[in-house]
Amino acid sequence: MSHPILGLHHVTATVDHAQDDIDFSVGALGLRLVKKTVNFDNHHVYHFYYGDERGTPGTIWTTFPYAGHGVPVGRKGAGQVVTTSFSVPGGSLAWWRARLSKHGIAATDVADRFGDAVVACADASGLEFELIANKHDHREPWIAAGGDRDVAIRGLHSVTMLVRSADRTLDLMTSVLGYREIERQDNRVRVAVGHAGPGRTIDIVVDPSAPMAANGVGTVHHVAMAIDGADAQLALRQRLIDYGCHVTDVRDRCYFTSIYFREPGGVLFEVATTGPGFEIDEPVATLGTALKLPPWEETYRSTIEVGLAEIDVP
Ligand code: ZN
């Protein structure tokens, strides 16, 4: 049976202040803000999508800035994506250390990951990130004004999810989602789909004594994998149900449709379609510049707009 997962689609986190999030994602990382919308489950909170020029699946980082809404700080732990890693060109990490420092962000060298050099950093909410330098990512990067093609982020490299035991997680990911084990080192197992490599990779780290995670500010909410279309999504949904997962109905996210379920280790997974994409409601040239609302929220636009913090995109 064919395995329809193409790779990563996006990673979504709960963050604190909207402006801090823009300053980190656009100002420091140099990602493009490709969509400024609201949380479809709470229209008083922004939903920012960042990525390459068009917000191509596999390049997308998304946030809900929940400052002022009484959401507690989350707890990092098992059953969660604990690190989001971006792919940068080999040899660019010295440039990135200087860049992060210029933005007041501490960069930490961590051990090479399966042969690739890594720098770690955190945003103002305490979310943990890595830049993984490698020579085999051929995706065309978004280059912000004044940016440099030789160092620009290519997209997501991988995520690291923490679980107390990997056996059932690996079984689901290999038997239903089409991942295969690529490498293993200490308590870290790397799985990937398709041609593997950046954007198609997930690391599973096992720590039997890790506390269970609690969702909240400064934590990743879910990781989404990409699937080609609605038919493949429905077929996969049925296979997940047959496997024993509790899967949501298909949800309309405007720019893609989604299903959600928890893998056996507790991490919230989403499977999102590659289309229709972010150009459905504004042209490529001006992506992310206007507040875009789904049709069912347009009625409330004036109320929504006054409730959202003003932001300045660099
Ligand atoms: Zn999502």
Side-chain angles (χ1 to χ4, degrees), residues 10-12 47 49 62 64 222-224 253 256 258 260 270 272:
H10 65 268
V11 184
T12 296
H47 191 181
Y49 289 89
T62 104
F64 298 122
H222 62 266
V223 56
R253 297 314 191 193
F256 43 85
S258 297
Y260 302 82
E270 172 182 351

Side-chain angles (χ1 to χ4, degrees), residues 225-237:
M225 296 144 200
I227 197 163
D228 201 22
D231 292 346
Q233 187 179 51
L234 278 175
L236 179 62
R237 180 175 182 275

Side-chain angles (χ1 to χ4, degrees), residues 2-257:
S2 69
H3 293 294
I5 296 295
L6 304 169
L8 293 170
H9 189 290
H10 65 268
V11 184
T12 296
T14 307
V15 299
D16 204 359
H17 291 277
Q19 187 63 54
D20 286 347
D21 188 58
I22 297 272
D23 290 345
F24 178 77
S25 304
V26 178
L29 296 184
L31 303 176
R32 185 181 194 197
L33 177 65
V34 292
K35 195 63 65 183
K36 183 167 64 173
T37 182
V38 294
N39 183 341
F40 289 5
D41 300 316
N42 179 352
H43 66 205
H44 297 299
V45 174
Y46 278 120
H47 191 181
F48 296 139
Y49 289 89
Y50 307 95
D52 68 359
E53 183 184 24
R54 294 164 188 268
T56 306
T59 71
I60 309 166
W61 164 247
T62 104
T63 59
F64 298 122
Y66 258 97
H69 290 274
V71 172
V73 171
R75 182 174 63 236
K76 293 183 177 63
Q80 192 179 57
V81 166
V82 290
T83 309
T84 302
S85 304
F86 290 99
S87 172
V88 297
S92 69
L93 290 185
W95 185 93
W96 276 104
R97 276 186 219 96
R99 163 85 164 201
L100 293 169
S101 171
K102 194 178 139 205
H103 285 265
I105 300 161
T108 314
D109 289 320
V110 298
D112 282 12
R113 177 82 40 74
F114 301 116
D116 291 329
V118 187
V119 155
C121 66
D123 76 353
S125 305
L127 281 162
E128 292 173 7
F129 297 88
E130 292 172 343
L131 299 173
I132 301 184
N134 65 90
K135 291 181 164 36
H136 40 265
D137 193 339
H138 305 294
R139 292 176 290 180
E140 202 50 45
W142 164 249
I143 305 167
D148 182 348
R149 191 180 189 289
D150 293 340
V151 297
I153 284 176
R154 265 49 182 172
L156 293 167
H157 178 283
S158 52
V159 294
T160 297
M161 47 188 270
L162 180 64
V163 294
R164 286 179 170 171
S165 162
D167 294 352
R168 291 169 62 218
T169 297
L170 279 169
D171 186 68
L172 169 73
M173 292 185 77
T174 55
S175 67
V176 183
L177 299 177
Y179 284 82
R180 62 186 187 282
E181 185 174 328
I182 300 293
E183 285 175 287
R184 189 181 280 249
Q185 188 177 33
D186 304 324
N187 63 339
R188 179 181 293 267
V189 186
R190 171 161 290 184
V191 298
V193 290
H195 300 297
R200 301 192 185 90
T201 300
I202 292 180
D203 283 3
I204 302 163
V205 167
V206 182
D207 180 357
S209 62
M212 285 308 287
N215 190 37
V217 170
T219 60
V220 169
H221 188 264
H222 62 266
V223 56
M225 296 144 200
I227 197 163
D228 201 22
D231 292 346
Q233 187 179 51
L234 278 175
L236 179 62
R237 180 175 182 275
Q238 189 57 53
R239 291 188 63 205
L240 286 162
I241 290 168
D242 294 344
Y243 184 86
C245 295
H246 297 281
V247 191
T248 66
D249 292 333
V250 176
R251 307 266 169 89
D252 181 1
R253 297 314 191 193
C254 265
Y255 311 107
F256 43 85
T257 64

